[in-house]
Amino acid sequence: MTEPTSTAKLSVHGNDYELPVYSPTAGPDVIDIRKLYSSAGVFTYDPGFTSTASCDSTITYIDGNKGELLHRGYTIDDLASKSHYLEVCYLLLYGELPSPTQLEDFENRVTNHTMLHEQMVYFYRGFRRDAHPMAIMTGVVGAMSAFYHDSTDINDPWQREVASIRLIAKMPTIAAWAYKFSIGQPFVYPRNDLDYASNFLRMCFAVPAEDYEVNPILSRAMDRIFTLHADHEQNASTSTVRLASSSGANPFACIAAGIACLWGPAHGGANQACLEMLKEIGTPDRIPEFIAKAKDKNDPFRLMGFGHRVYKNFDPRATVMKQSADEVLDLLGVENNPILATAKELEKAALSDPYFAEKKLFPNVDFYSGIILEAMGFPTSMFTPIFALSRTVGWISQWKEMIADPQNKIGRPRQLYLGETTRAYTDIETR
Ligand code: CMC
């Protein structure tokens, strides 16, 4: 933690208080209110944490107005075009880009942990066939603490490291198996001669009767999807992981909590919700009807894949993802796919509509990632698991940072209580 650079004055109930102000390396100053309750006897009120910094961090920085996303200082555009997912994982976890030997060592460590404990096969079989792959992933990742006892002690740095590598290495296998189970196909085991993205594609699309030859353009697009989703600062699922971890819970339990939070349609579930919306729209001629619904104040409907809590100009991840979407659509020749045609028209219609421009609602990363995944042949139910797989490194990096922080305290928000005050219990006969 840095030293205060100035103070802020607060006047409450006729008394003045001075609060320390910290200046970050980038972004707005932060007023330290930690002593506010003990000194002034008041809480602050900030549902949705729109103005509250819950931690200090050196991992990821977002400037929503500029449309900038930095990991350890490197722009997402540079990382998505010049780097690759495992290198970005190293950067997020350890703070620096790896040397060639460091990268090779890291890739070997990840590759050596791609298999799941064989007993986990029975765990999968306990799920209903029609279970959503996110439900399976939440369960299986949570259950890892029952299979990998030797990496659950959060106070041991070595165990934390092993848990981190295990989670990054096994997540593609866990997600691919959730998919295979849901479609009734046998599990495909990882192959360690393939790169991370190709291995995942093969585990999803190969069958014992016929191997799957990985197309390098698709593998590159998959790797970009992983890279673009790798971390995103203190979003809902990351904050969930931090909050769960603040109690001392083991890493597998914390990441399972993050996966559960990510599933919601306002967060990682948006890519599935977006494709389902495109299917519902069906054909481009129905777009005006849906745009009108999205603009109607009395209708809760929102255009899925549009808007962002932080990016209010454009989502820099969406710019890169759009290029990838064009490459994949060119390769697969899917111009005649009605869903994809509808997506392209919807993008045009929303971008030229003043409502969306005024409210700064632009297509976000999930709009384009959904299109790519649909074109690759993934069912919509796999979109959020792929997001979860990609985000695992972000969750772990933030978790590791938090555990190593001496200021780490159990998270315990306050509330503005508006319920009844103490009242006398009335017996049931008299109610
Ligand atoms: N369609 C239509 N209107 C919208 C939309 C939308 N997608 N998003 C926001 N608005 C309107 C909203 O009705 C509100 O209007 P008004 O000011 O008249 O009340 C205004 O824009 C501001 O909305 P908000 O809910 O206060 O904004 P927020 O920053 O809290 O919400 C959001 C951000 C992402 C939850 C929201 O834009 C949304 O629900 N989008 C659709 C879901 C989606 O695509 N989520 C994925 C986000 S990217 C993946 C990730 O990082 O998790």
Side-chain angles (χ1 to χ4, degrees):
M1 189 79 189
T2 68
E3 291 302 308
T5 50
S6 60
T7 52
K9 285 202 175 65
L10 177 74
S11 186
V12 185
H13 305 142
N15 295 317
D16 291 338
Y17 301 91
E18 284 217 334
L19 302 166
V21 174
Y22 299 101
S23 297
T25 48
D29 282 359
V30 171
I31 303 173
D32 182 348
I33 55 164
R34 281 176 294 176
K35 301 239 162 65
L36 190 61
Y37 177 55
S38 59
S39 58
V42 291
F43 298 146
T44 55
Y45 181 58
D46 185 18
F49 308 114
T50 53
S51 302
T52 298
S54 58
C55 60
D56 52 88
S57 180
T58 60
I59 303 174
T60 292
Y61 173 71
I62 300 173
D63 185 328
N65 293 325
K66 272 210 284 192
E68 184 175 67
L69 167 60
L70 304 178
H71 291 321
R72 305 284 192 184
Y74 297 99
T75 67
I76 192 65
D77 314 33
D78 267 357
L79 294 174
S81 56
K82 299 177 185 159
S83 182
H84 58 89
Y85 183 66
L86 281 188
E87 186 175 71
V88 173
C89 287
Y90 186 100
L91 174 70
L92 289 168
L93 283 169
Y94 307 113
E96 296 296 337
L97 286 171
S99 68
T101 4
Q102 286 169 328
L103 182 62
E104 196 189 335
D105 171 63
F106 180 67
E107 286 181 340
N108 285 341
R109 279 191 292 145
V110 169
T111 306
N112 279 332
H113 281 283
T114 50
M115 278 175 58
L116 298 186
H117 191 294
E118 191 58 19
Q119 199 80 10
M120 288 185 104
V121 168
Y122 303 105
F123 194 73
Y124 274 86
R125 298 216 162 110
F127 284 99
R128 274 174 62 138
R129 271 288 166 205
D130 57 358
H132 193 289
M134 279 301 273
I136 300 182
M137 278 185 83
T138 315
V140 171
V141 172
M144 283 175 80
S145 49
F147 287 89
Y148 301 103
H149 298 146
D150 57 348
S151 49
T152 51
D153 180 357
I154 61 161
N155 298 313
D156 176 347
W158 175 244
Q159 294 204 25
R160 295 208 293 268
E161 178 64 18
V162 176
S164 309
I165 297 288
R166 278 189 169 139
L167 279 158
I168 294 167
K170 294 182 197 308
M171 208 54 102
T173 316
I174 292 173
W177 284 19
Y179 172 50
K180 285 298 196 191
F181 183 78
S182 72
I183 56 171
Q185 287 187 1
F187 299 135
V188 175
Y189 285 74
R191 252 193 32 202
N192 289 350
D193 58 327
L194 294 176
D195 63 70
Y196 194 83
S198 303
N199 195 21
F200 174 65
L201 286 171
R202 186 179 163 274
M203 285 191 288
C204 289
F205 294 121
V207 285
E210 206 173 298
D211 208 351
Y212 172 81
E213 199 159 318
V214 186
N215 181 306
I217 295 185
L218 297 189
S219 157
R220 177 77 191 127
M222 191 77 253
D223 190 85
R224 270 210 182 139
I225 291 182
F226 294 160
T227 302
L228 292 172
H229 287 90
D231 191 43
H232 214 225
E233 209 225 64
Q234 309 311 321
N235 56 81
S237 56
T238 303
S239 299
T240 300
V241 170
R242 280 188 179 257
L243 195 54
S245 147
S246 75
S247 72
N250 75 66
F252 305 111
C254 297
I255 302 301
I259 296 175
C261 174
L262 185 79
W263 195 0
H267 193 7
N271 49 17
Q272 170 168 357
C274 174
L275 245 286
E276 279 161 2
M277 175 193 76
L278 290 171
K279 284 182 181 158
E280 200 191 335
I281 298 176
T283 45
D285 58 300
R286 294 191 63 207
I287 288 173
E289 183 193 324
F290 281 80
I291 295 249
K293 263 166 82 63
K295 286 156 60 172
D296 182 354
K297 277 245 153 277
N298 301 316
D299 191 328
F301 174 78
R302 285 184 170 198
L303 277 191
M304 287 291 132
F306 284 78
H308 199 273
R309 167 58 65 81
V310 180
Y311 297 119
K312 296 298 176 193
N313 244 329
F314 68 95
D315 179 343
R317 304 166 301 168
T319 318
V320 186
M321 201 66 99
K322 181 175 160 51
Q323 286 163 11
S324 253
D326 291 341
E327 273 170 36
V328 169
L329 298 196
D330 275 356
L331 173 81
L332 299 176
V334 280
E335 302 85 7
N336 298 330
N337 178 330
I339 296 168
L340 301 173
T342 306
K344 292 230 150 208
E345 284 306 311
L346 179 65
E347 179 196 17
K348 251 194 256 164
L351 286 176
S352 59
D353 189 298
Y355 171 93
F356 292 90
E358 274 157 29
K359 293 195 185 298
K360 299 182 189 277
L361 300 169
F362 298 89
N364 57 46
V365 66
D366 287 333
F367 183 73
Y368 298 109
S369 67
I371 294 173
I372 298 176
L373 295 172
E374 161 81 16
M376 280 180 173
F378 282 104
T380 50
S381 61
M382 272 306 284
F383 292 8
T384 318
I386 290 169
F387 190 162
L389 181 179
S390 324
R391 182 56 57 82
T392 298
V393 69
W395 291 329
I396 294 169
S397 306
Q398 304 267 352
W399 167 77
K400 280 180 83 181
E401 180 177 68
M402 178 179 173
I403 304 264
D405 183 352
Q407 298 191 96
N408 181 16
K409 272 185 175 202
I410 185 162
R412 177 57 173 91
R414 299 295 195 159
Q415 63 173 5
L416 167 62
Y417 178 68
L418 297 174
E420 299 287 348
T421 52
T422 315
R423 44 182 179 164
Y425 179 82
T426 44
D427 291 329
I428 194 152
E429 301 78 28
T430 58
R431 272 177 243 159

